[in-house]
Amino acid sequence: MKMMMYGVRDDERPFIEQWQEQNHIDVQLTDQLLTEETVDQARGYDGIVAFQQLSYSNRMLQRMTEIGIYNLSLRNVGVDNIDLKQVAKLGIKLTNVPVYSPEAIAEFTVTQLMQLLRRTKEYTQKFEKHDFRWAPQISKELNQQTVGVIGTGHIGQCAIRIFQGFGAKVIAYDKFHNPELERQGLYVDTLDELYCQATVITLHIPLFPSTQHMIDATAIAKMNPGVIILNAARGQLIDEQALIDGLDRGIIGGAALDVMEDEIKVFNRNLGDQKIDYPEFNNLFSRDNVLISPHTAFYTDVAVRNMVEVSLNNNRQLIETGTADNLISTD
Ligand code: NAD
């Protein structure tokens, strides 16, 4: 059995080597992403393991099957950058890593909220200029906030536990109610109720056509003045121009974005002095009350180890049995 692994970073290599030693399976590694130009490198292999923000193009998928590979295992959870209809049509078996460390994303989200509440970006800028006065950056306390959690799956539940640990009031919205959170009486019935009550809104739902731009001008108009918005889910959940307008009008008091609509133009690249051709990014990045991080919420040692090990196990299972526990349904 032979597997080809694309988009490999140095921090993944020790976990991959460990897995190879334990499983006695040859895994060929490349730091290149999986594209129609690079897919031919996998000719002769039984399966591909990949991870990237870049879309997996339909032509790449087609080429993959032409060279006889039908087993594709992603090292992340999201499958919004791959055309599942094409996957089904070509007979490709696709797996993901549904859970690798919800704590990593939840902890990062709370960290960003604390930074916004304590205005650390402004303080850092002042301190760099040797201005060590406190005022006027008076801060807010997390225990005084009403945090509206949208999406109470793996990450949302972790975030709720942490917010509650800080003494914040938590309210939640989800299409499906978790029995324990239901027992605690956290759920509101509508998003409008959540928008009306929350002083902080945090997104932990997947991107679907129905959730794209769910935070738009209409939603923002219903929110509490000064609300803080946190997004470590998917960039396209927020209409960035509407977010900018909301910040300009003071309806939104701050935002932490670990994901952005067009993040692929900027994130995970060293752009140095290059001009960034992404007006919404430039606008948001320049603001004192907006924190942008390059899709790093997941990036911890625990998460990376799990992403490597589970994706390799998935690919092995596909090759050996033709199916896998973490097979993505393409129905
Ligand atoms: P999950 O599947 O465990 O939970 C998602 C929750 O959203 C579920 O409870 C589901 O019922 C709910 N939901 C789905 N559609 C909804 C809708 N229209 N309205 C209300 N609720 C809805 O997923 P998770 O592991 O908690 O991950 C959440 C999201 O976080 C992922 O989809 C992914 O986009 C994102 N994510 C980001 C990073 C990062 O590094 N920033 C890492 C992993 C995941």
Side-chain angles (χ1 to χ4, degrees), residues 2 16 22 45 108 125 149-150 222 281 299 325-326:
K2 287 185 344 188
I16 300 168
Q22 283 164 358
Y45 285 80
F108 188 86
Q125 284 163 356
V149 178
I150 303 180
K222 295 172 184 164
F281 172 88
Y299 193 41
D325 298 339
N326 295 321

Side-chain angles (χ1 to χ4, degrees), residues 219-238:
I220 290 170
K222 295 172 184 164
M223 294 176 188
N224 266 310
V227 66
I228 289 177
I229 297 185
L230 312 171
N231 187 9
R234 281 294 177 268
Q236 288 171 41
L237 295 173
I238 298 182

Side-chain angles (χ1 to χ4, degrees), residues 100 105 153-155 174-176 206 211 232-234 258 295 298:
Y100 40 83
I105 296 113
H154 295 95
I155 299 170
D174 197 301
K175 282 201 301 198
F176 302 102
T211 57
R234 281 294 177 268
D258 187 52
H295 209 137
F298 79 97

Side-chain angles (χ1 to χ4, degrees), residues 163-176:
F163 287 129
Q164 289 176 327
F166 277 102
K169 178 179 176 191
V170 173
I171 55 175
Y173 176 83
D174 197 301
K175 282 201 301 198
F176 302 102

Side-chain angles (χ1 to χ4, degrees), residues 3-6 8 20 26-30 41 45:
M3 298 172 191
M4 179 90 192
M5 199 161 184
Y6 283 86
V8 175
Q20 282 179 296
D26 176 29
V27 186
Q28 181 66 35
L29 312 183
T30 174
Q41 293 172 30
Y45 285 80

Side-chain angles (χ1 to χ4, degrees), residues 51 53 76-80 97-102 104-105 108-109 150-158 173-178 187 191 203-208 210-211 214 231-235 237 258-259 263 293-299 307:
F51 175 48
Q53 267 90 46
N76 60 317
V77 55
V79 289
D80 40 72
V97 182
V99 185
Y100 40 83
S101 178
I105 296 113
F108 188 86
T109 304
I150 303 180
T152 57
H154 295 95
I155 299 170
Q157 285 174 47
C158 282
Y173 176 83
D174 197 301
K175 282 201 301 198
F176 302 102
H177 287 193
N178 170 282
Y187 286 110
L191 279 172
L203 303 177
H204 300 292
I205 60 169
L207 176 66
F208 296 128
S210 61
T211 57
M214 63 178 290
N231 187 9
R234 281 294 177 268
L237 295 173
D258 187 52
V259 286
E263 64 184 46
S293 49
H295 209 137
T296 39
F298 79 97
Y299 193 41
M307 291 162 102

Side-chain angles (χ1 to χ4, degrees), residues 60-261:
M60 184 285 294
L61 294 171
Q62 170 81 41
R63 185 71 193 144
M64 208 179 106
T65 56
E66 282 165 10
I67 60 171
I69 302 176
Y70 290 86
N71 301 315
L72 177 58
S73 295
L74 307 184
R75 305 205 283 290
N76 60 317
V77 55
V79 289
D80 40 72
N81 57 346
I82 188 162
D83 180 348
L84 295 183
K85 285 200 184 97
Q86 181 76 351
V87 167
K89 193 174 129 201
L90 293 168
I92 292 171
K93 300 271 174 60
L94 178 71
T95 60
N96 70 344
V97 182
V99 185
Y100 40 83
S101 178
E103 291 84 359
I105 296 113
E107 286 182 11
F108 188 86
T109 304
V110 180
T111 304
Q112 295 298 77
L113 174 60
M114 295 296 270
Q115 300 225 47
L116 285 170
L117 292 172
R118 303 312 293 249
R119 304 176 69 164
T120 54
K121 188 170 175 182
E122 292 164 78
Y123 273 116
T124 306
Q125 284 163 356
K126 268 172 79 163
F127 296 168
E128 277 168 3
K129 291 184 203 143
H130 288 191
D131 177 353
F132 298 112
R133 290 173 294 178
W134 310 330
Q137 279 81 19
I138 192 162
S139 299
K140 289 189 185 323
E141 297 183 22
L142 178 46
N143 66 78
Q144 299 297 305
Q145 306 305 312
T146 299
V147 183
V149 178
I150 303 180
T152 57
H154 295 95
I155 299 170
Q157 285 174 47
C158 282
I160 287 173
R161 280 196 296 277
I162 304 173
F163 287 129
Q164 289 176 327
F166 277 102
K169 178 179 176 191
V170 173
I171 55 175
Y173 176 83
D174 197 301
K175 282 201 301 198
F176 302 102
H177 287 193
N178 170 282
E180 170 54 26
L181 301 182
E182 179 93 307
R183 199 185 55 73
Q184 289 184 39
L186 297 193
Y187 286 110
V188 291
D189 294 330
T190 63
L191 279 172
D192 283 3
E193 280 176 73
L194 185 139
Y195 295 152
C196 170
Q197 291 179 41
T199 57
V200 174
I201 293 172
T202 183
L203 303 177
H204 300 292
I205 60 169
L207 176 66
F208 296 128
S210 61
T211 57
Q212 184 169 12
H213 283 187
M214 63 178 290
I215 304 295
D216 60 6
T218 311
I220 290 170
K222 295 172 184 164
M223 294 176 188
N224 266 310
V227 66
I228 289 177
I229 297 185
L230 312 171
N231 187 9
R234 281 294 177 268
Q236 288 171 41
L237 295 173
I238 298 182
D239 175 343
E240 283 170 359
Q241 192 49 56
L243 180 70
I244 289 169
D245 294 343
L247 285 157
D248 282 342
R249 290 166 50 220
I251 302 179
I252 298 173
L257 309 173
D258 187 52
V259 286
M260 293 192 70
E261 285 202 74

